[in-house]
Amino acid sequence: MVLWSSWLACTPSPPPPAAATEEAARLDHDAFVRAAFAADRGWFWVHDADGDGEVDADELVPLLGRPADPHPWVADGALTDAFRADLRAMSAVATVAEAPPAPDGSEARRMQLVRAELDQARPALVLSDLRDLPAPDLEMARHLLRVGDLVDGLFQAQRGSDGLQAPPDPASRALVWRNQGPWCSQPATRDDPECNALPSFPPERSGLYPADLQEDPAFCDDLDESLLTPFTAVRRVDGALAAVPYHEAWPDRVAAVHDELVAAADALGPDEAALATYLRAAAAAFLDDDWFAADEAWAAMHGAGSKWYVRVGPDETYAEPCDRKAQFHLTFARIDPSSAAWEQTLEPVKAQLEAHVAELTGAPYTAREVAFALPEFIAVVRNAGDDRRATGATIGQSLPNWGPVAEQSRGRTVAMTNLGQDAAALEALAPVTASVLCEDLAADWSPDPEPLVLSTVLHEASHNLGPNGSWRVDGVNDEAAFGGALASVLEELKAQTAAMALYGWLPSQGVLDDAMARRARAHDLVWALGKVAEGTYDGDDPLTYGQMAAIQLGVLQQTGAIAWRADEVAANGTDQGCLSVVDDRWDAGLDELARDVLGIKARNDAPAARALIEQHVDGEDARALAAILEERFGRVRAASYVYAVRMP
């Protein structure tokens, strides 16, 4: 059990002024960052710029989304006495130690689990320098950063964590801030009922449905379809269940977001007219829930020459128990001009992509005209709400999920280029990869971002290929056929499988070389192994990406395309058991997977989909492999993204 000392429950008193050098030398960068986070201090040591092993004032930044700090670490460009007090305490106790578990039911046991939950992740900084912005853009950015705080609050109201009591100690407060609720989420602690940031141990209950309904784990199955519309909360009105629009469920919160978005739009100059139009449309939607009108303004932004990517409102459904209600989020990012290169590469073969996927899918699906835009590359400034995960982050997304823009394939797809590409993340991934890949497959893997970009581009494009959200079988869509959670698993499985199938086909079109296809294949297999390691269930709730990855790995083994070689030593020369690709079976085996998955989607074949879960997620062999992967990937802490900006 990894412990942080109990000093974290105390508030330091400023000592006499002292140099920080001696204390700083006791903490390397990683230990300092983790200790500062567990102490609930909203500051981040960016890096040791001058290489002296000491923290300097210009190397620290305040994190976005944290409360105003009554004891700041930096004032007037210099380190403060509060910093020295915190650093002295952190240096004395931020050591890793093994200790026996405290008695069940004790406060000491709860604190041990809180610290174990925190210690499974490493804070990873996303830092943006906005000091060169023109005045109108800078003012817009200030308002959007405030929108981020408000959207966090709205999302927490949807989660059911809003309004709970304040945690009693800094480590528990840090957990609540990171997880946006008191409940534990990491593999080693999420299933322990004593892992909770609050001594009252409140159960996890969504704020989107009456709490008493949720006593029954299968309550979603008993709700009428009229209650499961995406932009409503379920409430009791005059004794009966009713779907209440979000703007009526949280009127004060949405009004505050509206005002900030209007102010952001008002700040912009004529060169950002399209962005201003979208911000005003989104602001209006916060007051009337006409998100389809906001989608029209948002879709029109693509190609309008904006320097910015902004998406604010309710979109994804992963964080709610019925997988039907859209969760509030903010993605605030800068457009990366390199998007145009992939646009130019794949645009000429768009119809051929659809034709190839349609051929793999088979009857009753036939190729259709596709009009989707290929991914835009963006560098995230701030994620908030549903975008701000406890660990990890979305690195590719196609939106919207409902309405005319989605149904007519006029949405936008993005790939986030500055998440998971920091030096610490890439350095950490290499030894894990060497522990799970056999030597032959490890030779194809590299930590550079190019295969990641390719994979993300094709994955997001593939959401628009083959049977997607607009596909119907006898008038029935995938959500109705499969249910929300299984429909999400299948949609992500379809997109990832189609993307991987295209690796083998694109070289024949002169679009991709074989070497890059092999590197992308290795990247995607490592990604799948990592998702299985993170888990396939959160309690009884399916984890979308973990289940889709488990199905992919299971079917690919079944087809002979890959093999888990239990008797072979991994590429690191130490671990027994590793993954290898069977080259002469890969293309055929992957095509079998694609036909299976795409065909299930095209036929709305729910029994076949459930059979995939039963065998490749819940089966004995699948669980045995998952246990191995959890241990090996668990040797490295997952990234927990935090955000900061430099502004004038």
Side-chain angles (χ1 to χ4, degrees):
M1 182 71 65
V2 177
L3 298 178
W4 295 100
S5 171
S6 60
W7 90 272
L8 299 173
C10 305
T11 300
S13 56
T21 305
E22 180 181 351
E23 290 84 358
R26 300 175 190 170
L27 291 177
D28 62 21
H29 181 269
D30 178 68
F32 178 95
V33 166
R34 290 191 294 115
F37 191 88
D40 195 37
R41 303 297 281 130
W43 293 82
F44 198 97
W45 184 12
V46 181
H47 63 100
D48 187 11
D50 56 10
D52 63 356
E54 299 179 15
V55 182
D56 300 315
D58 62 356
E59 297 170 353
L60 290 167
V61 292
L63 297 177
L64 295 171
R66 306 306 299 267
D69 191 347
H71 306 293
W73 280 0
V74 177
D76 299 323
L79 298 172
T80 65
D81 287 346
F83 168 77
R84 296 185 182 92
D86 285 348
L87 181 58
R88 186 172 286 111
M90 288 159 54
S91 300
V93 302
T95 55
V96 176
E98 294 294 327
D104 289 347
S106 67
E107 174 64 2
R109 175 63 176 159
R110 185 190 72 82
M111 286 300 303
Q112 282 185 335
L113 290 167
V114 164
R115 293 161 189 153
E117 165 78 7
L118 291 177
D119 200 56
Q120 290 171 76
R122 60 175 182 85
L125 181 66
V126 178
L127 177 62
S128 301
D129 191 341
L130 305 183
R131 290 174 293 188
D132 62 344
L133 292 181
D137 291 59
L138 186 61
E139 183 64 15
M140 175 212 64
R142 289 194 175 101
H143 287 291
L144 288 182
L145 294 177
R146 287 195 283 272
V147 167
D149 295 338
L150 297 169
V151 167
D152 270 351
L154 262 173
F155 174 66
Q156 289 156 27
Q158 292 181 306
R159 282 209 72 199
S161 59
D162 180 56
L164 295 176
Q165 69 191 91
D169 61 276
S172 294
R173 290 196 292 273
L175 188 157
V176 166
W177 183 81
R178 189 192 73 184
N179 291 15
Q180 302 204 67
W183 308 291
C184 296
S185 64
Q186 299 308 296
T189 45
R190 63 182 170 221
D191 294 327
D192 193 316
E194 292 193 74
C195 191
N196 199 296
L198 297 177
S200 58
F201 298 98
E204 188 167 1
R205 294 289 183 264
S206 170
L208 289 159
Y209 307 91
D212 61 299
L213 280 185
Q214 300 174 62
E215 297 296 329
D216 178 3
F219 80 95
C220 299
D221 298 337
D222 298 327
L223 294 177
D224 187 84
E225 277 294 314
S226 65
L227 297 172
L228 294 172
T229 49
F231 309 127
T232 62
V234 177
R235 299 288 185 259
R236 282 197 169 85
V237 179
D238 297 328
L241 294 177
V244 175
Y246 286 162
H247 69 277
E248 294 179 12
W250 299 289
D252 294 339
R253 290 186 180 277
V254 297
V257 178
H258 166 276
D259 293 348
E260 289 292 344
L261 289 174
V262 170
D266 289 346
L268 289 169
D271 58 329
E272 288 288 355
L275 174 56
T277 298
Y278 166 63
L279 293 175
R280 290 193 177 93
F286 272 94
L287 298 186
D288 64 12
D289 281 302
D290 187 358
W291 295 104
F292 299 159
D295 287 342
E296 294 290 348
W298 183 69
M301 277 193 64
H302 182 47
S306 178
K307 301 185 294 293
W308 300 99
Y309 174 92
V310 181
R311 177 75 181 181
V312 60
D315 276 310
E316 304 288 14
T317 64
Y318 304 137
E320 74 97 355
C322 298
D323 203 35
R324 299 291 291 275
K325 304 291 186 182
Q327 311 285 282
F328 283 106
H329 73 116
L330 167 71
T331 307
F332 174 35
R334 297 178 105 161
I335 295 286
D336 182 342
S338 63
S339 307
W342 274 110
E343 188 88 35
Q344 293 166 5
T345 299
L346 294 182
E347 179 67 29
V349 296
K350 192 182 296 184
Q352 292 96 309
L353 295 177
E354 166 67 5
H356 183 66
V357 170
E359 181 183 355
L360 289 171
T361 304
Y365 186 80
T366 56
R368 58 192 170 83
E369 184 177 350
V370 288
F372 61 86
L374 292 171
E376 304 165 66
F377 293 171
I378 62 173
V380 173
V381 175
R382 173 152 193 207
N383 280 334
D386 187 39
D387 282 346
R388 185 168 70 80
R389 312 287 170 77
T391 52
T394 297
I395 59 171
Q397 194 170 42
S398 294
L399 294 173
N401 293 320
W402 297 277
V405 172
E407 291 166 2
Q408 297 164 20
S409 298
R410 294 187 288 113
R412 297 170 69 183
T413 298
V414 294
M416 292 72 166
T417 60
N418 62 333
L419 301 181
Q421 297 306 302
D422 56 288
L426 296 177
E427 182 180 346
L429 188 55
V432 174
T433 299
S435 77
V436 294
L437 299 186
C438 298
E439 192 170 351
D440 55 347
L441 183 53
D444 291 332
W445 184 87
S446 66
D448 68 89
E450 196 173 4
L452 169 65
V453 170
L454 171 62
S455 174
T456 304
V457 166
L458 292 180
H459 175 98
E460 296 304 324
S462 293
H463 275 300
N464 301 282
L465 301 173
N468 64 1
S470 63
W471 176 248
R472 303 287 189 275
V473 179
D474 297 328
V476 178
N477 67 6
D478 60 345
E479 279 198 356
F482 299 112
L486 183 53
S488 294
V489 171
L490 284 172
E491 176 57 29
E492 295 302 324
L493 178 60
K494 179 210 83 170
Q496 185 67 3
T497 300
M500 293 176 72
L502 292 174
Y503 297 155
W505 177 78
L506 284 170
S508 68
Q509 307 299 302
V511 174
L512 191 68
D513 64 68
D514 289 321
M516 177 55 71
R518 292 178 68 91
R519 289 165 62 199
R521 177 181 72 180
H523 167 275
D524 282 357
L525 290 172
V526 170
W527 180 88
L529 294 170
K531 286 301 175 184
V532 171
E534 289 176 13
T536 53
Y537 289 95
D538 181 2
D540 293 328
D541 297 328
L543 291 172
T544 299
Y545 292 107
Q547 293 205 352
M548 64 144 282
I551 293 169
Q552 270 201 328
L553 293 172
V555 176
L556 287 173
Q557 288 185 79
Q558 197 173 59
T559 65
I562 62 174
W564 181 262
R565 304 195 186 283
D567 297 329
E568 188 169 330
V569 176
N572 65 1
T574 302
D575 287 292
Q576 191 81 15
C578 56
L579 189 75
S580 180
V581 169
V582 183
D583 278 322
D584 61 1
R585 281 290 305 155
W586 172 258
D587 289 337
L590 186 58
D591 282 353
E592 285 183 50
L593 169 64
R595 290 190 181 95
D596 202 6
V597 171
L598 292 164
I600 287 171
K601 282 274 290 181
R603 299 187 303 273
N604 278 354
D605 190 346
R610 287 191 286 271
L612 290 177
I613 299 287
E614 183 178 349
Q615 180 177 1
H616 300 299
V617 176
D618 300 333
E620 184 178 344
D621 290 345
R623 293 199 305 271
L625 178 59
I628 294 171
L629 297 175
E630 182 179 334
E631 187 279 323
R632 295 189 194 176
F633 278 84
R635 298 170 190 173
V636 175
R637 296 176 180 89
S640 178
Y641 290 103
V642 294
Y643 302 86
V645 296
R646 295 194 191 277
M647 300 181 81

